[in-house]
Structure formats: C-alpha cells, structure tokens
Amino acid sequence: MGNSKSEDPEVPDREGLQHITGLSPGHSALIVAVLCYINLLNYMDRFTVAGVLPDIEQFFDIGDSSSGLIQTVFISSYMVLAPVFGYLGDRYNRKYLMCGGIAFWSLVTLGSSFIPREQFWLLLLTRGLVGVGEASYSTIAPTLIADLFVADQRSRMLSVFYFAIPVGSGLGYIAGSKVKDMAGDWHWALRVTPGLGVVAVLLLFLVVREPPRGAVERHSDSPPLNPTSWWADLRALARNPSFILSSLGFTAVAFVTGSLALWAPAFLLRSRVVLGETPPCLPGDSCSSSDSLIFGLITCLTGVLGVGLGVEISRRLRRSNPRADPLVCAAGLLGSAPFLFLSLACARGSIVATYIFIFIGETLLSMNWAVVADILLYVVIPTRRSTAEAFQIVLSHLLGDAGSPYLVGLISDRLRRSWPPSFLSEFRALQFSLMLCAFVGALGGAAFLGTAIFIEGDRRQAQLHVQGLLREAGPTDDRIVVPRRGRSTRVPVSSVLI
C-alpha cells in the first residue's frame, strides 16, 4: 500500500465509459431501466400477499403465526439460494442466469394462485420456490450497474434502481387489494405479476448486454482481475469490517421492513376496528382493503422521498466527510426508531397520527437502501461483488426478515392466549409485538456508526486492488520456489534465509 502510484483513479467520462463497456450512454441507461422494472416487479409480487393477508387467513383458517410463515418460508428459500447465484454470477453470464430465474419464478407464482383451501402447506412450498427468481436477480443486478457506471453516476443509477423497492412494495399492496376488489377473489391478485414477468424475461433477453467485470474501475495499463476461489472470497469478505458492519446494519433494516410489510395493514385494520371506524373481518365476509391501499401509497411515497434524500444528502456530505455514507444510514435508522414506536403507541387514540408517524418513520428508514448498496460496491472488488451481495442477503434475511414476520406473529399469538378473546386483545397483542421493531432499528444504527470507523481504509484498499497496486496475501505467499534434489519445491522464506 506504500506504492507511489496509489493516487485516486481518474473517473472516465461518457466517451471513456462507452469505449470500456462497448455500450452507448443511452443503452446503459436503458439497461438500468429494465433492471429497475424487474426489481419493481419482484417487490410487487413479494408484497401482493401482504395486501390480501386477512383474506388468506380467512380462506385457509390460519392464525398469526402461520401467516407469518408465508413470508418466512419465502425469505428462507431466497436466503439459501442467494449464495448459489452469487457464486454463479461472479463466474458466468449474468443475463442468462437472470432470465432463467425470473421465468421459473413467474410459473411458480401463477401456480400458487390455484391452491385449494385444504392445502396450505402447498402455498408455503410455492412461496419458497419463488425465492429462486428473487435470488437469481437480487444478487446479480446491482453488479451489472456497477460495471456500467462509476462514482456519482453509479450512485444516481443505484438510487433509481432502489427506488423500485419501496415503490414496488407499495404497488404490491395496491394491486393486491384493488385486483381482489375488482375480481371479488383474492386469488386473482397472485395472477398479475406472472404476466409481467414474461415481459421482463423478453426485455432482459433483448436489451441487456454483459459488460466486462470491473473494467470501468481499472487503469488502462492494469491487468484484468481474475476470479479467486469461493473460499478465498469468503475469507476476504470476513476480513472486511466495513462490509460486515454495514451488512449487520442492513439486517436491522430488513428486520423492521419485513415485519411492517406483512403486519402493518393487518395492524391498521385492527386499530380501525377497535376505534369503531370499520366492521371486523368475520368468517364468510370480505375483509376491508382500504388500509392496504393507504399503506401501499405511503410506502410508495416514502420510498421515493427516502431513497432520494439518502442519496442526495450522502452525495453532498461526501465532499467534506468521507464517512458520509454510513453516517447517513445511521441517522436514518436511529431517527426512524422513535417515530415507528409513536405510530404504534398512538394507534389506539388516532389513526391519523399513526399514519403521520408511519410516514416519517418509513421515510427515514428508506434512506438506507441505495446508500448501503453503494457501500458494498466500493469496499468489495468487482470479482467478488455477486458473492458479497449473496452473503449480505443471507445475513440480512437470516437474522432479519426471514424470521421477523413469524416472530412478530408468534409473540402476538402468545399474548392473545394470555388475555380474554376480543378485538381489543387482538389489537394489543399485535401492537406490543411490533414494538420490537423500534429496538432492532436502534441496534442497526449502532452498526452503521461502527462502519464509519473503517470505511475509509476498506474503500482505499479495494481501489488499490482494482488498479493492480495491491495484491492480497494468499496462503502460500510467504513461500518461494527453490531447487531441491533435482526438482523445484516451495519452501518458507524464513528457511531460505536461515
């Protein structure tokens, strides 16, 4: 690291990027638009189920803990398959991997809409298989953007890409509730995204081209990066404190968003029932979908506002403070915790106050999405980014939203059993269990503050590695080749010196 050539790399202009990637600026932007559409579609499908959750509970005659399993099984499958696609994405054609995964996801989602009421386990199985498409896409798509753009251009494109998460989530609630109302049957809500998935596969096949990995970040005279073994990748990531701590912070984001995504509409419905503003959801009746619609709109608006604010604040602060990215993430999480707590505490008295606090809390929470992705891309070298995305997905879902919906539902069921059965006890049980989100959010803010300590050194090390000015020490790097008994052998440097 003491090489005199270790100045910051020059950022290529538009013509330079076109020469390196072989793609015009317009074509690169079109690729990002296609990836953004598919990301929006993924999250739209994920939260369509949450938009009709009361109807699913009534149809299959299940409780809160079983409802939480729907999301938990999906996230668990997604989490297990992510390392597989991360490994493949660092070594094989990313475009064809995404095409295959999304086509499979579309077929399974369509099939899940025809499951009879006696086969709830089959619904869980199909939701688990949906994780194949999610894993094939989420681990790979950000690395394509990283290989098309650098510096502020990359941050802006990532912000566009991650706008699709909250917007797609909100559209999932809206599409689920409105399609159910129009068709009179919640099953039709699950038949919207498969058709759009076919369009996504066609766009991927016709528009997306594979850019060279890491070329936009290298000096013209530096050699191309070669993939290392999967175990070497994992060892390098484990020794990267910025990556580990930011992944833990993102785990807290996943825990909170996973819980709210599944349970917020049901909680708001129960709040309205307790306040006497809407009738309860009784067997044989269609449940009110107004709260899913309103929460979906809030999720869309707060997502656009939060992601945009996070990227812009971080970009401006980065000029004077190189630790701006993790500090913005920490501020977002620590700031969202009290507002989420207040939204739960006020639900018994005023539904309007609850919506206001949810709006503020979700806006602050959404400031993390694009900034966390940018941190990963500049502290990890290009040939490890899909693996790093996969590892972050595993960690954030294993400790985050894989278990949080089920955990919240389980706590709610246990609390309900200890109280006399009533609509008020159902509301209070879910209210108290969701308060766990505020505590976890504060812990995530602390992890991002830790990231700020190491971010400068880890970013610099990745830059030097990409430029060919730094080589990682391997397990045999302290050995040299010497002749011995007619053939060459590797021996430790220390033995030669002796």
Side-chain angles (χ1 to χ4, degrees):
M1 295 181 66
N3 195 308
S4 61
K5 293 172 59 180
S6 62
E7 69 274 1
D8 288 334
E10 293 182 4
V11 178
D13 57 13
R14 288 192 174 188
E15 292 183 1
L17 286 174
Q18 182 172 350
H19 175 73
I20 294 170
T21 63
L23 301 170
S24 67
H27 194 170
S28 297
L30 185 59
I31 290 175
V32 174
V34 171
L35 297 178
C36 186
Y37 165 72
I38 301 172
N39 202 31
L40 184 144
L41 190 60
N42 277 339
Y43 279 86
M44 182 176 168
D45 173 77
R46 185 185 297 192
F47 294 108
T48 298
V49 172
V52 294
L53 186 63
D55 296 276
I56 292 176
E57 286 186 326
Q58 181 180 311
F59 181 81
F60 289 104
D61 191 22
I62 55 176
D64 287 349
S65 57
S66 296
S67 300
L69 271 178
I70 297 173
Q71 189 77 345
T72 295
V73 168
F74 160 72
I75 294 296
S76 298
S77 167
Y78 173 42
M79 174 186 68
V80 170
L81 292 168
V84 177
F85 284 101
Y87 175 85
L88 297 174
D90 279 333
R91 291 159 178 82
Y92 301 102
N93 189 291
R94 293 170 282 188
K95 168 181 169 178
Y96 297 128
L97 288 171
M98 290 189 291
C99 285
I102 293 171
F104 180 80
W105 155 76
S106 300
L107 289 173
V108 173
T109 301
L110 181 63
S112 67
S113 67
F114 296 98
I115 296 172
R117 67 176 69 240
E118 299 83 10
Q119 307 292 331
F120 176 67
W121 65 270
L122 194 55
L123 178 66
L124 294 179
L125 176 62
T126 55
R127 293 310 293 174
L129 292 176
V130 168
V132 175
E134 292 266 3
S136 69
Y137 181 76
S138 299
T139 57
I140 294 173
T143 67
L144 281 172
I145 297 175
D147 289 334
L148 292 171
F149 302 95
V150 288
D152 286 345
Q153 286 180 303
R154 177 191 290 171
S155 297
R156 282 191 288 269
M157 291 300 174
L158 284 173
S159 68
V160 172
F161 178 77
Y162 283 102
F163 274 138
I165 294 179
V167 174
S169 303
L171 288 177
Y173 295 114
I174 296 169
S177 60
K178 299 310 291 183
V179 170
K180 183 207 75 171
D181 290 342
M182 292 171 61
D185 184 359
W186 66 269
H187 291 87
W188 283 97
L190 301 182
R191 297 167 188 166
V192 175
T193 52
L196 299 174
V198 175
V199 177
V201 174
L202 291 175
L203 288 173
L204 268 176
F205 189 78
L206 297 174
V207 174
V208 175
R209 286 176 56 187
E210 178 87 1
R213 289 178 173 85
V216 295
E217 296 165 85
R218 293 198 304 265
H219 284 318
S220 59
D221 58 346
S222 60
L225 294 173
N226 295 315
T228 53
S229 70
W230 192 62
W231 288 111
D233 291 347
L234 291 182
R235 283 196 301 268
L237 293 174
R239 293 194 297 264
N240 189 328
S242 295
F243 170 73
I244 295 296
L245 288 170
S246 62
S247 297
L248 289 173
F250 187 66
T251 300
V253 176
F255 186 100
V256 176
T257 55
S259 300
L260 293 177
L262 189 69
W263 289 115
F267 172 74
L268 293 167
L269 174 61
R270 295 181 189 184
S271 173
R272 286 185 180 274
V273 170
V274 170
L275 292 172
E277 298 181 5
T278 191
C281 184
L282 299 175
D285 296 334
S286 180
C287 301
S288 172
S289 59
S290 61
D291 293 297
S292 294
L293 178 63
I294 296 172
F295 186 74
L297 291 172
I298 288 177
T299 303
C300 287
L301 292 174
T302 57
V304 172
L305 184 60
V307 171
L309 276 176
V311 170
E312 187 61 23
I313 292 172
S314 179
R315 188 179 68 84
R316 291 177 181 273
L317 289 179
R318 208 181 294 161
R319 299 169 186 170
S320 57
N321 187 347
R323 297 183 174 94
D325 287 350
L327 292 177
V328 167
C329 292
L333 265 177
L334 293 174
S336 68
F339 287 105
L340 293 176
F341 180 84
L342 288 172
S343 70
L344 298 169
C346 294
R348 178 79 185 277
S350 171
I351 196 70
V352 174
T354 297
Y355 276 122
I356 291 173
F357 287 129
I358 287 177
F359 187 94
I360 299 172
E362 284 212 323
T363 299
L364 293 170
L365 197 63
S366 298
M367 290 171 61
N368 289 272
W369 289 107
V371 181
V372 171
D374 207 10
I375 289 174
L376 182 148
L377 293 174
Y378 65 64
V379 300
V380 177
I381 62 174
T383 54
R384 292 190 180 124
R385 284 174 180 161
S386 290
T387 300
E389 291 279 356
F391 184 86
Q392 189 174 82
I393 286 171
V394 169
L395 183 64
S396 62
H397 293 312
L398 179 65
L399 303 179
D401 55 354
S404 64
Y406 177 70
L407 179 62
V408 169
L410 184 64
I411 295 172
S412 176
D413 277 349
R414 294 290 176 87
L415 290 174
R416 284 168 61 182
R417 293 193 193 105
S418 62
W419 296 329
S422 67
F423 295 121
L424 177 60
S425 65
E426 291 180 4
F427 163 75
R428 289 178 61 202
L430 192 53
Q431 179 189 41
F432 291 156
S433 59
L434 282 171
M435 287 182 178
L436 180 64
C437 295
F439 174 73
V440 174
L443 291 179
F448 279 119
L449 290 177
T451 306
I453 299 174
F454 302 99
I455 193 75
E456 289 182 272
D458 290 336
R459 180 175 188 170
R460 187 66 182 148
Q461 187 168 346
Q463 287 176 344
L464 293 173
H465 192 109
V466 170
Q467 297 165 37
L469 306 178
L470 176 67
R471 191 169 65 91
E472 293 179 341
T476 60
D477 281 355
D478 63 339
R479 295 171 177 264
I480 60 173
V481 178
V482 298
R484 176 179 288 182
R485 295 180 183 175
R487 64 177 186 271
S488 299
T489 186
R490 286 185 175 272
V491 298
V493 175
S494 58
S495 65
V496 176
L497 294 177
I498 292 171

